[in-house]
Amino acid sequence: MAHELVVFDNSGVLVDSESLGNRLLAGMLTDEVAPTTFAEAVEHYLGKSFADMVETVRRRTGAVVPDDFGARFHARLFDTFERELTAVDGVHAVLDDLDARNVPYCVASNDTADRVAVSLGLTGLAPRLAGRIFGADQVARPKPAPDVFLHAARRCGVAPEACLVIEDSARGVAAARAAGMTVYGLASVTPRTRLGDAQQVLGSMRELRDLIPALFPDPLLQETRR
């Protein structure tokens, strides 16, 4: 089946937040909970909901994350985002090409929809995704469950098998596969080896852009599907 909807993850795919977030998380965990390197944060916590991260910390280290850790982490993260967050290199060009072919797209994230909206607003992407922002707080289970992807497809009126997902985490890839969607891995922060279950692994948005003419070859056909 031809692809009729592109579903982007947010962190590390649309906005360049994974390096910022995991560096801050590693520092705060080291200071308050258990020694954690940036590489360990990426390996064990990237792509997880905050609740899953807390449980993984407990299982890995035996330490308990303070109750107010999440609120303080997110406050510091938003402050960092306001100063440093940018869109992923090349993403505006990809969206331009999808718009030119009348290919609809949305975002489905393990973050809350409000947090996604904030990050998109800081990077100038919010107007392009207005009304098409879906978060883990809108469904019963976060990734790697398929819920948020299925929710996004349902809200956009597209069958799951007609969706192309762009993901940068192993949990996101697993969620997309469980939803019955095609998924391309984006190896920005995540090592390529952890995205091996994706149908294809890309190194950059430039590589995705190069594929768009083959993925969506007929603008007139896409106009009839929109």
Side-chain angles (χ1 to χ4, degrees):
M1 180 179 288
H3 304 305
E4 299 178 14
L5 175 70
V6 180
V7 185
F8 293 97
D9 180 43
N10 185 51
S11 298
V13 175
L14 292 177
V15 301
D16 195 11
S17 57
E18 292 294 14
S19 294
L20 298 176
N22 282 281
R23 189 165 288 109
L24 175 62
L25 179 62
M28 290 185 63
L29 287 175
T30 296
D31 290 343
E32 302 183 31
V33 183
T36 306
T37 66
F38 173 77
E40 288 171 337
V42 169
E43 179 180 357
H44 297 290
Y45 310 132
L46 188 148
K48 292 188 175 183
S49 69
F50 196 81
D52 283 345
M53 183 278 294
V54 169
E55 177 59 20
T56 303
V57 170
R58 185 194 64 77
R59 290 200 309 268
R60 287 190 64 241
T61 70
V64 176
V65 176
D67 290 341
D68 66 341
F69 186 95
R72 291 185 290 106
F73 170 78
H74 286 111
R76 290 182 60 180
L77 185 64
F78 287 147
D79 179 64
T80 301
F81 282 179
E82 287 180 356
R83 292 181 283 106
E84 302 180 37
L85 188 64
T86 61
V88 166
D89 185 44
V91 74
H92 281 287
V94 166
L95 299 185
D96 286 343
D97 285 0
L98 294 176
D99 287 339
R101 287 169 167 74
N102 294 305
V103 180
Y105 49 84
C106 66
V107 55
S109 172
N110 245 12
D111 288 329
T112 66
D114 285 347
R115 180 176 167 184
V116 174
V118 168
S119 66
L120 293 176
L122 292 170
T123 56
L125 290 168
R128 310 191 73 154
L129 288 143
R132 292 170 288 165
I133 298 172
F134 307 107
D137 57 318
Q138 299 172 337
V139 295
R141 301 172 299 172
K143 305 170 188 176
D147 299 27
V148 71
F149 286 132
L150 294 172
H151 175 64
R154 186 165 52 249
R155 288 285 303 273
C156 292
V158 176
E161 58 268 27
C163 296
L164 171 62
V165 174
I166 311 299
E167 260 288 353
D168 76 323
S169 75
R171 292 170 70 86
V173 169
R177 294 297 296 262
M181 300 176 178
T182 300
V183 56
Y184 287 3
L186 184 64
S188 50
V189 174
T190 306
R192 284 178 174 268
T193 54
R194 293 193 60 206
L195 301 174
D197 288 338
Q199 279 90 343
Q200 188 163 341
V201 179
L202 309 174
S204 67
M205 277 290 167
R206 181 183 295 276
E207 291 182 28
L208 176 59
R209 190 183 185 195
D210 289 343
L211 295 175
I212 288 176
L215 290 168
F216 306 103
D218 190 342
L220 293 179
L221 179 59
Q222 293 303 326
E223 179 65 35
T224 66
R225 290 177 177 161
R226 191 158 188 172

